[in-house]
Amino acid sequence: MVLQASGVMSIPATVSVDNQPPASWTTHYNCADVTSGYMSRLWSQDLHPQTWTKYQVWEWLQQTLDMHQIDATSIPFQNFDLDGRQLCNMSFQDFTRAAGSLGSILFQSLTDLKWNGQYGHTDMFTPVDIKTESFWFHFNPYSINSTYRNLWHVDVPFQSHISTDPRGTHLWEFIRDILLNPERNPGLIKWEDRSEGVFRFLKSEAVAQLWGKKKNNSSMTYEKLSRAMRYYYKREILERVDGRRLVYKFGRNARGWRESEK
DNA sequence: TGGCGTTTTCCTGGTT
DNA sequence: CAACCAGGAAAACGCC
């Protein structure tokens, strides 16, 4: 799923193959589990989470809990009586409502699957960006979980209703998710002011290509992507940032980008 | 099937 | 001049 078949990669001098993953995550989680286990089996069948049946959602739940050695009774499975499309529409907060503090693990697992599905075998990045040992070496889902736990640990009492907010994979969410997953997006977009939600495109055309890939549109350009971004001003999903090229700012109607959602 | 919200495409004109 | 920014207009698209 992840590693490129080619052994010819440009490896930065600073990165050694002798590097060992931190013990904190190799204990319960290692690359082999990810690349040859259940997750890759799903992908080998070309099954995007979006297409999962309710049963497959449960299967994923079970497997994810197993992987993290979490007792299945820790999560009210009835809160996940959803098909893949509904699951993919759940926000981070939806997950915490449905599964408490374990929601972050599930959210990240699903996010991983979405991302890996999109990018696992593709050539979206230039070799120097993504096909490097350092890039994939630092692909570390477990550390991301830790990050999410630290940043977003909030015990929101479960509400019987899972949000039906139709927030699929819209452009602004796509951008937000790139910002929130810097490990998998070397130098594409960068926070300018994290607390204010100001960010800047570093590789505008690369982001556009990525967006196009997601929408199965190979002719996407930054010119067109930016037009869609500008439509967000009126809806206050983005705010204008005058005079600064490639800089945008999340607006009052953008959700899920803050370090701690209040 | 049709309406709707979102995005894409194209374009003119202005700015850095 | 290249790369962006601002928006209007209209088509395309996916969803309910």
Side-chain angles (χ1 to χ4, degrees), chain A residues 158-174:
Chain A
F158 175 69
Q159 300 157 13
S160 63
H161 158 83
I162 288 174
S163 169
T164 52
D165 189 11
R167 294 194 296 167
T169 46
H170 292 150
L171 174 59
W172 71 269
E173 297 171 299
F174 174 80

Side-chain angles (χ1 to χ4, degrees), chain A residues 91-93 97 107 152 165 167 172-177 180 191 235-238 250-262:
Chain A
S91 67
F92 180 81
Q93 280 198 326
R97 289 189 193 106
F107 178 78
W152 286 355
D165 189 11
R167 294 194 296 167
W172 71 269
E173 297 171 299
F174 174 80
I175 298 298
R176 177 198 62 193
D177 292 344
L180 296 179
W191 287 113
R235 296 166 57 198
E236 296 189 90
I237 288 169
L238 294 177
F250 285 121
R252 63 197 304 188
N253 293 328
R255 297 292 145 83
W257 58 269
R258 290 180 189 278
E259 295 191 55
S260 57
E261 205 81 316
K262 292 186 178 173

Side-chain angles (χ1 to χ4, degrees), chain A residues 15 19 133-141 143-144 183-184:
Chain A
V15 175
N19 282 348
E133 194 70 14
S134 69
F135 178 85
W136 292 113
F137 183 80
H138 291 105
F139 174 81
N140 179 347
S143 72
I144 297 167
E183 292 87 349
R184 269 158 283 181

Side-chain angles (χ1 to χ4, degrees), chain A residues 57-58 60-61 65 72-82 86-87 89-107 110 154-164:
Chain A
V57 168
W58 280 38
W60 161 77
L61 262 180
L65 295 178
T73 60
S74 312
I75 287 182
F77 269 47
Q78 69 272 19
N79 294 343
F80 289 89
D81 185 27
L82 310 156
Q86 294 169 304
L87 187 75
N89 283 341
M90 285 173 68
S91 67
F92 180 81
Q93 280 198 326
D94 291 333
F95 271 97
T96 57
R97 289 189 193 106
S101 58
L102 296 177
S104 64
I105 291 174
L106 298 174
F107 178 78
L110 187 67
V154 279
D155 281 316
V156 180
F158 175 69
Q159 300 157 13
S160 63
H161 158 83
I162 288 174
S163 169
T164 52

